[in-house]
């Protein structure tokens, strides 16, 4: 059975970097069983109603950022959609009582294509992109992921793309180390994930140390709960990688069984 994954997408410039994290993601893509399709929640696609892409052909590449290296804006990731998987996602969500709509025009934002390009550089695996809703409770986020858990039995890889510590105002451009508050937050999250303590995780904003600094707005944290929900069957969480850039930007990858 396919796992579900939470993958931090970092800054858009990750697409041009060669470091231990990009090497890890490239290797991960080679080690995973090749999926029939990928279902990906991106922190950079927000909506009040759950949206599911239904792009019939190749996606456009969205450059939803500014001020980065010119060559970033030349990158294309022409993955194709997969209408069969879109239909299955819509059915599963609808059966779970979750309101859903399809979108036939939106391309892949950098929360999606930066990660996918490192995992599967040939863009040869169909993709179904999903939006996130920052206003749902933690339990509701988990339930959205849980509704899609059976996709893993169909060789479909579920990915939540975001970041656990993601506060652009707190980035330290001169730092060569890691801010202690970021590590404390991530350590608390690690403990709760490994013990599958959903009650604590659903209230992370009130219980976790430095939660407001680590997660000033929740859209990048939400994909963690979505991916976790999709791994609800065995309730096993494994930290595959963690590092930091710019003092506190967390680059982590979690696997859920």
């Amino acid at each position: 059975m396919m796992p579900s994954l939470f993958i931090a997408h970092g800054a858009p410039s990750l697409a041009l970097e060669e470091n231990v994290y990009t090497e890890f993601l490239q290797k991960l893509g080679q080690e995973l069983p090749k999926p029939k399709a990928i279902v990906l929640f991106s922190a950079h696609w927000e909506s009040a109603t759950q949206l599911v892409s239904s792009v019939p052909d190749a996606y456009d590449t969205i450059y939803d950022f500014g001020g980065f290296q010119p060559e970033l804006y030349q990158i294309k990731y022409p993955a194709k959609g997969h209408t069969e998987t879109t239909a299955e996602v819509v059915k599963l969500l609808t059966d779970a009582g979750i309101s859903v709509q399809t979108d036939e025009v939106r391309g892949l934002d950098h929360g999606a294509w930066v990660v996918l390009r490192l995992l599967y550089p040939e863009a040869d695996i169909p993709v179904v992109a999903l939006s996130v809703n920052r206003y749902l409770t933690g339990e509701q986020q988990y339930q959205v992921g849980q509704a899609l858990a059976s996709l893993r039995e169909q060789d479909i890889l579920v990915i939540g793309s975001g970041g656990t510590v993601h506060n652009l105002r707190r980035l330290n451009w001169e730092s060569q180390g890691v801010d202690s508050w970021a590590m404390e937050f991530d350590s608390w999250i690690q403990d709760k994930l490994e013990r599958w303590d959903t009650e604590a995780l659903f209230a992370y904003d009130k219980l976790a140390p430095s939660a407001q600094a680590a997660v000033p707005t929740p859209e990048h944290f939400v994909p963690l709960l979505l991916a976790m929900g999709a791994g609800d069957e065995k309730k096993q969480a494994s930290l595959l990688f963690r590092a930091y850039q710019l003092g506190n930007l967390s680059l982590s990858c979690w696997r859920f069984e």
Side-chain angles (χ1 to χ4, degrees):
M1 182 185 295
M2 280 286 176
S4 61
L5 300 172
F6 169 77
I7 302 177
H9 59 249
S13 54
L14 190 72
L16 299 175
E17 296 173 11
E18 294 183 5
N19 54 41
V20 291
Y21 187 50
T22 61
E23 290 174 3
F24 160 77
L25 289 176
Q26 290 163 354
K27 185 178 180 181
L28 179 64
Q30 296 167 4
E31 292 176 345
L32 288 169
K34 188 171 183 178
K36 180 178 77 173
I38 298 169
V39 168
L40 185 145
F41 292 92
S42 173
H44 289 274
W45 188 11
E46 293 191 68
S47 65
T49 298
Q50 181 65 63
L51 297 178
V52 181
S53 64
S54 185
V55 173
D57 298 310
Y59 285 92
D60 291 331
T61 304
I62 301 175
Y63 309 103
D64 52 333
F65 47 82
F68 286 88
Q69 303 97 315
E71 53 265 43
L72 261 180
Y73 303 88
Q74 305 305 315
I75 293 176
K76 303 290 185 184
Y77 191 79
K80 293 183 178 180
H82 200 247
T83 53
E84 175 187 338
T85 300
T86 293
E88 180 66 11
V89 168
V90 169
K91 179 181 185 302
L92 290 171
L93 293 172
T94 301
D95 288 349
I98 298 165
S99 179
V100 59
Q101 297 178 6
T102 57
D103 184 301
E104 298 180 355
V105 297
R106 191 179 191 275
L108 295 176
D109 58 64
H110 82 269
W113 65 258
V114 168
V115 167
L116 293 174
R117 186 169 176 267
L118 288 165
L119 290 172
Y120 303 107
E122 300 302 318
D124 56 348
I125 298 174
V127 176
V128 175
L130 282 81
S131 65
V132 301
N133 180 356
R134 70 166 71 187
Y135 298 107
L136 298 180
T137 65
E139 184 176 11
Q140 289 171 324
Q141 307 287 3
Y142 187 92
Q143 289 169 348
V144 172
Q146 199 174 12
L148 302 182
S150 64
L151 293 175
R152 298 166 49 223
E153 300 172 5
Q154 305 173 42
D155 295 327
I156 295 173
L157 179 61
V158 179
I159 298 176
S161 173
T164 51
V165 181
H166 189 276
N167 187 339
L168 302 184
R169 294 186 178 184
R170 295 290 294 270
L171 296 181
N172 185 346
W173 296 87
E174 306 299 326
S175 176
Q176 299 299 314
V178 182
D179 294 339
S180 59
W181 60 266
M183 294 182 65
E184 290 171 0
F185 177 81
D186 268 345
S187 294
W188 187 92
I189 294 296
Q190 178 177 353
D191 175 69
K192 306 312 175 195
L193 286 171
E194 290 177 344
R195 294 197 287 122
W196 213 269
D197 187 349
T198 55
E199 183 176 351
L201 285 165
F202 295 161
Y204 78 92
D205 54 333
K206 301 177 181 65
L207 301 178
S210 302
Q212 299 308 311
V215 188
T217 56
E219 75 287 341
H220 276 75
F221 189 85
V222 162
L224 177 68
L225 298 177
L226 293 164
M228 186 186 187
D232 178 78
E233 182 176 351
K234 292 185 179 179
K235 297 180 172 61
Q236 294 178 359
S238 303
L239 179 62
L240 303 184
F241 185 95
R242 183 163 66 210
Y244 298 86
Q245 291 180 322
L246 305 175
N248 54 64
L249 182 62
S250 178
L251 299 177
S252 59
C253 179
W254 282 90
R255 176 180 178 133
F256 303 106
E257 304 290 351

